[in-house]
Amino acid sequence: MWLPFMGLVIGVIIGLLTDIRIPPEYSNYLSIAILAALDTLFGGIRAQLQNIYDEKVFVSGFFFNIVLAASLAFLGVHLGVDLYLAAVFAFGVRLFQNIAVIRRILLTKWTTNGEK
Amino acid sequence: MGRPKNVYFTVTASIIGLMVAIQFQTVSEPEVRDTRDTWELRNDLMGEKELQSELLHEIRTIEDKLTKYENEREQSKEQLLKETLEELKGEAGLTEVTGPGIILTLQPIVNELGQEVPMSRVSPSLLQRLINELNMYGAIHLSVDEQRVINTTVIRDIGTVTKIDGHSLNRLPIQIKVITKNAEEADKLYKRMEISTVVEDFFIDNLRVVLEKPEEDIMIPGYQDTIRIRYMEPVETGVGGDG
C-alpha cells in the first residue's frame, strides 16, 4: 500500500527537479488531465478495496480519461464554451464519491478489526 | 495485493505526481516581495546606474565607429568615382540645372497695322551665331525651346524647318534660357546682349528678340537623348600612360 504513495512522491520530486515548464496557455489542459488522473487513481483504490479491481480497466481508464478531459477542454476553447467545467464537475463529483466510498470501507474495516 | 497491481499503481501514481509538479511549477508565479531596506536599494540603484553608464559608453563607442565608417565610405574611391561621374554628367548636360541667368524670347514682329508678321523660319546660322555669342559672354548652360544645348547639339535646316537635335523650331515664341556662373555674370551677359548686333539680325527673319531681366532661378532641363560617342575610345592602359 505504501508503494503507490512512494510513486507519487517520486513523481513529484522528479517533476520539481527536472524543472519542466509548459506554456501557460496549456496549463488548463494539464489541470484537467490531473483531475482526470486523480479520479482514476481513487477509482482504482476504491475498486481494489471492493475487490473488483481490474488492471486493464484501470490503465485504460487512466489514459482514456486524461485524453478525453484534455480534448474536451480543447473543444471548449475552440467552441467558445467553457466545456472544461463539465469535466471539472464530473471528475470532481466522482472524486468525492470515490473518496467517500473509500472512507466508509476503511471505516468498516477498522471497526470490524476493532471489534475482533 | 499482487505484485503487478502495485507496479501499475506506482507507475500511475508517479505519472500523476509528475503532472502535478509540472502544473505546480507552471502555475505558481514566484511571488517576489521587495524586502530591501534603503541601503540595499541604494546599492542596487548604484549597480543599475553603473550598468547604464556602461551601456551609454557602449553606445558612444558604437556611434563613433559608425561615423568613422561613414567617413571612410565618403572618402573611399567609390564615392569619389560616383562624385566624378555626377560632375561629368552635369558638365555633359545630362542633368537638370538651376541657377541665375537670363531668358531670351524670339517673338514675331508686329507691323504698323498691329498685325503679327508671319515668320518665315529661324535661320540656323543666325541661331548658331546667337548661341556662340552667348557662350562667349559667359553662358554655361543653354536651352533652346526646352531643348538642352550640349557640345554635340546640331542646329540645321531639314526640309525648310530649322531643327535642333531633331526638335523642330517652327512655333513661336521660342525661349532661349541661359544659366551663368552667378548673378553678376548674368547681369553682365544681359548688358552685353542688349547691345549685341546678333539680336538685330533676327529682324531679317521677321523675328524680335525680347530680353528679360536676369533672374535668380532658371531651370534648364537635362539632355533627353543618349549621347552617342562614335569617334572616341578609351586609351589602352600601359601604352604611353602610367597605368
Side-chain angles (χ1 to χ4, degrees), chain A residues 3-12 33-45 53-66, chain B residues 4-20:
Chain A
L3 214 55
F5 188 70
M6 284 293 288
L8 193 69
V9 172
I10 288 168
V12 169
I34 288 169
L35 204 59
L38 278 177
D39 171 59
T40 319
L41 188 70
F42 281 105
I45 292 170
Y53 177 78
D54 183 358
E55 66 187 31
K56 278 177 199 152
V57 172
F58 175 71
V59 174
S60 66
F62 178 73
F63 289 107
F64 189 76
N65 275 355
I66 287 176
Chain B
K5 272 186 211 166
N6 258 339
V7 171
Y8 280 120
F9 249 98
T10 312
V11 171
T12 314
S14 58
I15 291 174
I16 291 172
L18 194 70
M19 280 159 64
V20 169

Side-chain angles (χ1 to χ4, degrees), chain B residues 148-186:
Chain B
R148 181 68 172 267
V149 178
I150 60 169
N151 286 342
T152 57
T153 296
V154 286
I155 301 170
R156 59 187 170 186
D157 204 349
I158 302 171
T160 70
V161 180
T162 305
K163 295 204 174 191
I164 174 161
D165 276 338
H167 172 80
S168 308
L169 297 176
N170 52 4
R171 202 167 297 163
L172 293 176
I174 294 166
Q175 272 197 336
I176 299 171
K177 292 181 181 174
V178 185
I179 286 182
T180 55
K181 204 158 80 183
N182 48 39
E184 280 174 37
E185 288 283 320

Side-chain angles (χ1 to χ4, degrees), chain B residues 9-180:
Chain B
F9 249 98
T10 312
V11 171
T12 314
S14 58
I15 291 174
I16 291 172
L18 194 70
M19 280 159 64
V20 169
I22 291 170
Q23 174 75 352
F24 183 73
Q25 278 186 348
T26 309
V27 171
S28 68
E29 290 284 316
E31 195 182 322
V32 181
R33 193 171 293 188
D34 204 346
T35 53
R36 297 172 293 179
D37 62 8
T38 323
W39 185 244
E40 280 171 322
L41 280 173
R42 212 179 281 256
N43 272 346
D44 285 353
L45 189 64
M46 282 285 281
E48 294 298 323
K49 286 227 162 150
E50 266 172 32
L51 185 68
Q52 191 192 8
S53 74
E54 259 174 47
L55 285 175
L56 280 175
H57 184 70
E58 212 166 300
I59 287 171
R60 203 175 303 141
T61 48
I62 286 170
E63 276 183 352
D64 279 352
K65 228 176 260 176
L66 189 70
T67 46
K68 214 174 90 188
Y69 283 142
E70 271 179 4
N71 280 342
E72 270 176 25
R73 197 168 59 87
E74 271 171 22
Q75 286 162 5
S76 70
K77 282 185 177 175
E78 190 194 335
Q79 191 64 25
L80 204 68
L81 275 177
K82 271 185 190 165
E83 272 173 23
T84 315
L85 185 68
E86 281 303 312
E87 215 171 282
L88 288 176
K89 267 189 183 174
E91 264 179 47
L94 292 174
T95 52
E96 190 184 289
V97 279
T98 48
I102 58 170
I103 295 176
L104 292 83
T105 316
L106 300 184
Q107 286 180 345
I109 54 171
V110 181
N111 64 11
E112 295 83 3
L113 297 173
Q115 289 168 328
E116 285 184 359
V117 178
M119 72 149 182
S120 50
R121 67 197 180 110
V122 186
S123 152
S125 57
L126 211 52
L127 198 58
Q128 274 168 16
R129 265 186 65 195
L130 177 68
I131 287 169
N132 282 345
E133 200 143 316
L134 286 168
N135 277 331
M136 211 157 58
Y137 295 142
I140 297 172
H141 305 290
L142 264 171
S143 77
V144 177
D145 206 14
E146 297 298 318
Q147 289 291 306
R148 181 68 172 267
V149 178
I150 60 169
N151 286 342
T152 57
T153 296
V154 286
I155 301 170
R156 59 187 170 186
D157 204 349
I158 302 171
T160 70
V161 180
T162 305
K163 295 204 174 191
I164 174 161
D165 276 338
H167 172 80
S168 308
L169 297 176
N170 52 4
R171 202 167 297 163
L172 293 176
I174 294 166
Q175 272 197 336
I176 299 171
K177 292 181 181 174
V178 185
I179 286 182
T180 55

